[in-house]
Amino acid sequence: MISGKILSTEKEIVDFATVYLKGTSYGGTTNQEGIYHIKAPAGNYTLVVSAIGYKTVEKQVKLIAGERVKQNLTITPETQQLDEVTIVSTGVTRLKRSAFNAVAVDTRELQNTTKNLSEALQKLPGMKLRESGGVGSDMQLMLDGFSGNMSKCLSMVYLRKGQGKLLTSIIFQ
């Protein structure tokens, strides 16, 4: 068995580096502490260590039956200079994302009428309200088919005085 630790020239741990015996199927990767373990039969091998952003290192090792070989290695960072970067676009797409939808309802038609808030909210897209009785009775709210225990709903209603608008924000969790 051969094991060891892989460090960079800056004395930093190199985790998830590839370590293998050249010309064989024996190998593995370093763990988060930069340590590797390879089990292989006795013989002479070339130990290869490679990692992204580092130069590949090769080291001759001799494995003896029944003995454990410890081989720590230091690898050098490799920087690459890019000559030119070309960015190609096939089109522009604009995405609008929001944590919640805000819908504005014009309430000018509700002024000086007997319509109530439930009648105003029924105009919102995907919203249905069902009352179980007369005025002041229980109301069942359904948004896009979700109701009751299927969703948690927080509704915030803003009435802007003089502007004739009802803003409601409905948030699902």
Side-chain angles (χ1 to χ4, degrees):
M1 175 178 263
I2 183 168
S3 62
K5 191 170 191 174
I6 308 298
L7 296 172
S8 71
T9 52
E10 290 86 21
K11 304 293 182 206
E12 293 178 358
I13 294 170
V14 181
D15 52 352
F16 306 107
T18 302
V19 184
Y20 63 96
L21 299 175
K22 192 173 190 177
T24 71
S25 60
Y26 301 107
T29 59
T30 59
N31 62 16
Q32 294 170 335
E33 285 98 34
I35 298 171
Y36 71 94
H37 300 283
I38 301 174
K39 235 181 195 178
N44 292 320
Y45 298 98
T46 302
L47 182 68
V48 180
V49 179
S50 64
I52 295 174
Y54 293 91
K55 292 180 183 175
T56 301
V57 173
E58 294 185 6
K59 175 89 175 175
Q60 295 297 320
V61 293
K62 182 175 183 177
L63 300 182
I64 301 169
E67 288 187 22
R68 185 175 217 146
V69 176
K70 186 172 184 179
Q71 184 66 60
N72 295 332
L73 289 170
T74 303
I75 59 177
T76 308
E78 179 179 44
T79 56
Q80 294 181 351
Q81 182 81 22
L82 296 177
D83 294 335
E84 181 178 330
V85 176
T86 304
I87 299 172
V88 178
S89 174
T90 58
V92 176
T93 304
R94 289 190 172 93
L95 297 175
K96 185 178 179 184
R97 295 180 185 227
S98 174
F100 60 91
N101 277 340
V103 179
V105 177
D106 192 358
T107 58
R108 281 180 257 170
E109 67 182 54
L110 298 175
Q111 292 175 353
N112 299 325
T113 65
T114 59
K115 291 184 179 179
N116 58 21
L117 182 61
S118 65
E119 291 172 324
L121 290 177
Q122 283 180 343
K123 293 185 174 199
L124 296 175
M127 184 172 292
K128 292 191 191 270
L129 288 133
R130 290 192 180 144
E131 294 183 42
S132 60
V135 177
S137 63
D138 288 339
M139 193 181 329
Q140 182 184 11
L141 173 71
M142 291 177 43
L143 290 167
D144 290 329
F146 291 102
S147 67
N149 293 335
M150 293 169 41
S151 67
K152 292 179 184 174
C153 174
L154 169 64
S155 178
M156 296 174 285
V157 178
Y158 304 100
L159 291 171
R160 291 188 179 172
K161 196 169 187 178
Q163 292 186 0
K165 291 198 178 186
L166 167 70
L167 296 175
T168 181
S169 300
I170 298 168
I171 303 168
F172 278 105
Q173 292 182 341

PDB file of all heavy atoms in Angstrom, residues 64-84:
ATOM      1  N   ILE A  64       6.926  -2.736  -1.862  1.00  0.00           N
ATOM      2  CA  ILE A  64       7.424  -4.028  -1.372  1.00  0.00           C
ATOM      3  C   ILE A  64       6.270  -4.727  -0.673  1.00  0.00           C
ATOM      4  O   ILE A  64       5.537  -4.115   0.106  1.00  0.00           O
ATOM      5  CB  ILE A  64       8.615  -3.812  -0.417  1.00  0.00           C
ATOM      6  CG1 ILE A  64       9.730  -3.055  -1.160  1.00  0.00           C
ATOM      7  CG2 ILE A  64       9.120  -5.124   0.127  1.00  0.00           C
ATOM      8  CD1 ILE A  64      10.841  -2.560  -0.275  1.00  0.00           C
ATOM      9  N   ALA A  65       6.128  -6.032  -0.928  1.00  0.00           N
ATOM     10  CA  ALA A  65       5.032  -6.824  -0.351  1.00  0.00           C
ATOM     11  C   ALA A  65       5.059  -6.749   1.172  1.00  0.00           C
ATOM     12  O   ALA A  65       6.103  -6.906   1.791  1.00  0.00           O
ATOM     13  CB  ALA A  65       5.120  -8.268  -0.818  1.00  0.00           C
ATOM     14  N   GLY A  66       3.893  -6.459   1.767  1.00  0.00           N
ATOM     15  CA  GLY A  66       3.760  -6.418   3.222  1.00  0.00           C
ATOM     16  C   GLY A  66       4.210  -5.117   3.859  1.00  0.00           C
ATOM     17  O   GLY A  66       4.103  -4.952   5.071  1.00  0.00           O
ATOM     18  N   GLU A  67       4.750  -4.183   3.082  1.00  0.00           N
ATOM     19  CA  GLU A  67       5.202  -2.901   3.632  1.00  0.00           C
ATOM     20  C   GLU A  67       4.296  -1.764   3.163  1.00  0.00           C
ATOM     21  O   GLU A  67       3.730  -1.811   2.078  1.00  0.00           O
ATOM     22  CB  GLU A  67       6.651  -2.600   3.201  1.00  0.00           C
ATOM     23  CG  GLU A  67       7.673  -3.456   3.886  1.00  0.00           C
ATOM     24  CD  GLU A  67       9.093  -3.022   3.563  1.00  0.00           C
ATOM     25  OE1 GLU A  67       9.287  -1.848   3.177  1.00  0.00           O
ATOM     26  OE2 GLU A  67       9.997  -3.855   3.699  1.00  0.00           O
ATOM     27  N   ARG A  68       4.232  -0.761   3.997  1.00  0.00           N
ATOM     28  CA  ARG A  68       3.453   0.431   3.668  1.00  0.00           C
ATOM     29  C   ARG A  68       4.430   1.546   3.295  1.00  0.00           C
ATOM     30  O   ARG A  68       5.331   1.871   4.055  1.00  0.00           O
ATOM     31  CB  ARG A  68       2.620   0.837   4.880  1.00  0.00           C
ATOM     32  CG  ARG A  68       1.703   1.977   4.603  1.00  0.00           C
ATOM     33  CD  ARG A  68       0.820   2.259   5.797  1.00  0.00           C
ATOM     34  NE  ARG A  68      -0.467   2.620   5.268  1.00  0.00           N
ATOM     35  CZ  ARG A  68      -1.612   2.359   5.809  1.00  0.00           C
ATOM     36  NH1 ARG A  68      -1.662   1.721   6.933  1.00  0.00           N
ATOM     37  NH2 ARG A  68      -2.724   2.736   5.255  1.00  0.00           N
ATOM     38  N   VAL A  69       4.233   2.138   2.119  1.00  0.00           N
ATOM     39  CA  VAL A  69       5.100   3.205   1.637  1.00  0.00           C
ATOM     40  C   VAL A  69       4.382   4.532   1.810  1.00  0.00           C
ATOM     41  O   VAL A  69       3.213   4.672   1.436  1.00  0.00           O
ATOM     42  CB  VAL A  69       5.474   2.997   0.147  1.00  0.00           C
ATOM     43  CG1 VAL A  69       6.290   4.154  -0.381  1.00  0.00           C
ATOM     44  CG2 VAL A  69       6.189   1.687  -0.037  1.00  0.00           C
ATOM     45  N   LYS A  70       5.098   5.497   2.411  1.00  0.00           N
ATOM     46  CA  LYS A  70       4.523   6.831   2.573  1.00  0.00           C
ATOM     47  C   LYS A  70       5.231   7.773   1.613  1.00  0.00           C
ATOM     48  O   LYS A  70       6.461   7.875   1.627  1.00  0.00           O
ATOM     49  CB  LYS A  70       4.692   7.318   4.009  1.00  0.00           C
ATOM     50  CG  LYS A  70       3.991   8.629   4.275  1.00  0.00           C
ATOM     51  CD  LYS A  70       4.007   8.985   5.740  1.00  0.00           C
ATOM     52  CE  LYS A  70       3.211  10.258   5.956  1.00  0.00           C
ATOM     53  NZ  LYS A  70       3.172  10.635   7.357  1.00  0.00           N
ATOM     54  N   GLN A  71       4.440   8.425   0.757  1.00  0.00           N
ATOM     55  CA  GLN A  71       5.010   9.317  -0.240  1.00  0.00           C
ATOM     56  C   GLN A  71       4.213  10.619  -0.283  1.00  0.00           C
ATOM     57  O   GLN A  71       3.148  10.697  -0.884  1.00  0.00           O
ATOM     58  CB  GLN A  71       4.989   8.650  -1.625  1.00  0.00           C
ATOM     59  CG  GLN A  71       5.644   9.448  -2.712  1.00  0.00           C
ATOM     60  CD  GLN A  71       7.144   9.588  -2.494  1.00  0.00           C
ATOM     61  OE1 GLN A  71       7.868   8.611  -2.432  1.00  0.00           O
ATOM     62  NE2 GLN A  71       7.611  10.810  -2.371  1.00  0.00           N
ATOM     63  N   ASN A  72       4.733  11.652   0.385  1.00  0.00           N
ATOM     64  CA  ASN A  72       4.137  12.989   0.334  1.00  0.00           C
ATOM     65  C   ASN A  72       4.701  13.714  -0.876  1.00  0.00           C
ATOM     66  O   ASN A  72       5.894  13.583  -1.184  1.00  0.00           O
ATOM     67  CB  ASN A  72       4.442  13.774   1.605  1.00  0.00           C
ATOM     68  CG  ASN A  72       3.813  13.160   2.830  1.00  0.00           C
ATOM     69  OD1 ASN A  72       2.782  12.502   2.751  1.00  0.00           O
ATOM     70  ND2 ASN A  72       4.436  13.360   3.971  1.00  0.00           N
ATOM     71  N   LEU A  73       3.860  14.477  -1.548  1.00  0.00           N
ATOM     72  CA  LEU A  73       4.312  15.214  -2.732  1.00  0.00           C
ATOM     73  C   LEU A  73       3.843  16.657  -2.676  1.00  0.00           C
ATOM     74  O   LEU A  73       2.780  16.963  -2.114  1.00  0.00           O
ATOM     75  CB  LEU A  73       3.778  14.568  -4.009  1.00  0.00           C
ATOM     76  CG  LEU A  73       4.393  13.218  -4.383  1.00  0.00           C
ATOM     77  CD1 LEU A  73       3.630  12.579  -5.519  1.00  0.00           C
ATOM     78  CD2 LEU A  73       5.839  13.393  -4.782  1.00  0.00           C
ATOM     79  N   THR A  74       4.654  17.516  -3.276  1.00  0.00           N
ATOM     80  CA  THR A  74       4.305  18.932  -3.409  1.00  0.00           C
ATOM     81  C   THR A  74       4.141  19.225  -4.892  1.00  0.00           C
ATOM     82  O   THR A  74       5.016  18.884  -5.693  1.00  0.00           O
ATOM     83  CB  THR A  74       5.418  19.828  -2.814  1.00  0.00           C
ATOM     84  OG1 THR A  74       5.603  19.450  -1.446  1.00  0.00           O
ATOM     85  CG2 THR A  74       5.031  21.282  -2.875  1.00  0.00           C
ATOM     86  N   ILE A  75       3.017  19.857  -5.245  1.00  0.00           N
ATOM     87  CA  ILE A  75       2.782  20.191  -6.649  1.00  0.00           C
ATOM     88  C   ILE A  75       2.725  21.707  -6.810  1.00  0.00           C
ATOM     89  O   ILE A  75       2.394  22.441  -5.888  1.00  0.00           O
ATOM     90  CB  ILE A  75       1.512  19.505  -7.204  1.00  0.00           C
ATOM     91  CG1 ILE A  75       0.259  19.891  -6.413  1.00  0.00           C
ATOM     92  CG2 ILE A  75       1.677  17.995  -7.196  1.00  0.00           C
ATOM     93  CD1 ILE A  75      -1.014  19.280  -6.974  1.00  0.00           C
ATOM     94  N   THR A  76       3.074  22.152  -8.011  1.00  0.00           N
ATOM     95  CA  THR A  76       3.206  23.576  -8.303  1.00  0.00           C
ATOM     96  C   THR A  76       1.981  24.096  -9.044  1.00  0.00           C
ATOM     97  O   THR A  76       1.529  23.470 -10.003  1.00  0.00           O
ATOM     98  CB  THR A  76       4.449  23.805  -9.194  1.00  0.00           C
ATOM     99  OG1 THR A  76       5.567  23.186  -8.573  1.00  0.00           O
ATOM    100  CG2 THR A  76       4.727  25.275  -9.384  1.00  0.00           C
ATOM    101  N   PRO A  77       1.456  25.255  -8.609  1.00  0.00           N
ATOM    102  CA  PRO A  77       0.327  25.842  -9.355  1.00  0.00           C
ATOM    103  C   PRO A  77       0.752  26.183 -10.784  1.00  0.00           C
ATOM    104  O   PRO A  77       1.894  26.541 -11.032  1.00  0.00           O
ATOM    105  CB  PRO A  77      -0.005  27.112  -8.578  1.00  0.00           C
ATOM    106  CG  PRO A  77       0.574  26.912  -7.230  1.00  0.00           C
ATOM    107  CD  PRO A  77       1.773  26.043  -7.425  1.00  0.00           C
ATOM    108  N   GLU A  78      -0.203  26.043 -11.689  1.00  0.00           N
ATOM    109  CA  GLU A  78       0.058  26.328 -13.090  1.00  0.00           C
ATOM    110  C   GLU A  78      -0.929  27.383 -13.565  1.00  0.00           C
ATOM    111  O   GLU A  78      -2.144  27.182 -13.484  1.00  0.00           O
ATOM    112  CB  GLU A  78      -0.104  25.054 -13.928  1.00  0.00           C
ATOM    113  CG  GLU A  78       0.134  25.256 -15.398  1.00  0.00           C
ATOM    114  CD  GLU A  78      -0.025  23.949 -16.164  1.00  0.00           C
ATOM    115  OE1 GLU A  78      -0.979  23.209 -15.911  1.00  0.00           O
ATOM    116  OE2 GLU A  78       0.827  23.697 -17.024  1.00  0.00           O
ATOM    117  N   THR A  79      -0.413  28.497 -14.008  1.00  0.00           N
ATOM    118  CA  THR A  79      -1.300  29.541 -14.535  1.00  0.00           C
ATOM    119  C   THR A  79      -1.230  29.513 -16.054  1.00  0.00           C
ATOM    120  O   THR A  79      -0.180  29.260 -16.635  1.00  0.00           O
ATOM    121  CB  THR A  79      -0.881  30.935 -14.036  1.00  0.00           C
ATOM    122  OG1 THR A  79       0.479  31.172 -14.390  1.00  0.00           O
ATOM    123  CG2 THR A  79      -1.034  31.030 -12.525  1.00  0.00           C
ATOM    124  N   GLN A  80      -2.356  29.778 -16.663  1.00  0.00           N
ATOM    125  CA  GLN A  80      -2.414  29.793 -18.117  1.00  0.00           C
ATOM    126  C   GLN A  80      -2.905  31.157 -18.576  1.00  0.00           C
ATOM    127  O   GLN A  80      -3.860  31.701 -18.019  1.00  0.00           O
ATOM    128  CB  GLN A  80      -3.342  28.710 -18.635  1.00  0.00           C
ATOM    129  CG  GLN A  80      -2.828  27.324 -18.347  1.00  0.00           C
ATOM    130  CD  GLN A  80      -3.753  26.260 -18.902  1.00  0.00           C
ATOM    131  OE1 GLN A  80      -4.852  26.546 -19.350  1.00  0.00           O
ATOM    132  NE2 GLN A  80      -3.298  25.021 -18.883  1.00  0.00           N
ATOM    133  N   GLN A  81      -2.243  31.697 -19.555  1.00  0.00           N
ATOM    134  CA  GLN A  81      -2.589  32.990 -20.124  1.00  0.00           C
ATOM    135  C   GLN A  81      -3.481  32.763 -21.334  1.00  0.00           C
ATOM    136  O   GLN A  81      -3.123  32.026 -22.239  1.00  0.00           O
ATOM    137  CB  GLN A  81      -1.307  33.731 -20.544  1.00  0.00           C
ATOM    138  CG  GLN A  81      -1.544  35.100 -21.106  1.00  0.00           C
ATOM    139  CD  GLN A  81      -1.738  36.132 -20.021  1.00  0.00           C
ATOM    140  OE1 GLN A  81      -1.305  35.927 -18.906  1.00  0.00           O
ATOM    141  NE2 GLN A  81      -2.362  37.222 -20.349  1.00  0.00           N
ATOM    142  N   LEU A  82      -4.644  33.367 -21.331  1.00  0.00           N
ATOM    143  CA  LEU A  82      -5.537  33.270 -22.483  1.00  0.00           C
ATOM    144  C   LEU A  82      -5.200  34.395 -23.447  1.00  0.00           C
ATOM    145  O   LEU A  82      -5.052  35.555 -23.053  1.00  0.00           O
ATOM    146  CB  LEU A  82      -6.989  33.383 -22.040  1.00  0.00           C
ATOM    147  CG  LEU A  82      -7.517  32.274 -21.137  1.00  0.00           C
ATOM    148  CD1 LEU A  82      -8.943  32.581 -20.721  1.00  0.00           C
ATOM    149  CD2 LEU A  82      -7.452  30.940 -21.838  1.00  0.00           C
ATOM    150  N   ASP A  83      -5.072  34.049 -24.730  1.00  0.00           N
ATOM    151  CA  ASP A  83      -4.758  35.053 -25.737  1.00  0.00           C
ATOM    152  C   ASP A  83      -5.971  35.904 -26.070  1.00  0.00           C
ATOM    153  O   ASP A  83      -5.903  37.117 -26.124  1.00  0.00           O
ATOM    154  CB  ASP A  83      -4.250  34.388 -27.022  1.00  0.00           C
ATOM    155  CG  ASP A  83      -2.913  33.689 -26.816  1.00  0.00           C
ATOM    156  OD1 ASP A  83      -2.187  34.093 -25.889  1.00  0.00           O
ATOM    157  OD2 ASP A  83      -2.612  32.749 -27.559  1.00  0.00           O
ATOM    158  N   GLU A  84      -7.090  35.256 -26.278  1.00  0.00           N
ATOM    159  CA  GLU A  84      -8.272  35.971 -26.721  1.00  0.00           C
ATOM    160  C   GLU A  84      -9.511  35.222 -26.261  1.00  0.00           C
ATOM    161  O   GLU A  84      -9.540  34.000 -26.248  1.00  0.00           O
ATOM    162  CB  GLU A  84      -8.259  36.039 -28.253  1.00  0.00           C
ATOM    163  CG  GLU A  84      -9.412  36.762 -28.860  1.00  0.00           C
ATOM    164  CD  GLU A  84      -9.282  36.826 -30.384  1.00  0.00           C
ATOM    165  OE1 GLU A  84      -8.162  36.847 -30.899  1.00  0.00           O
ATOM    166  OE2 GLU A  84     -10.334  36.838 -31.029  1.00  0.00           O
TER     167      GLU A  84
END
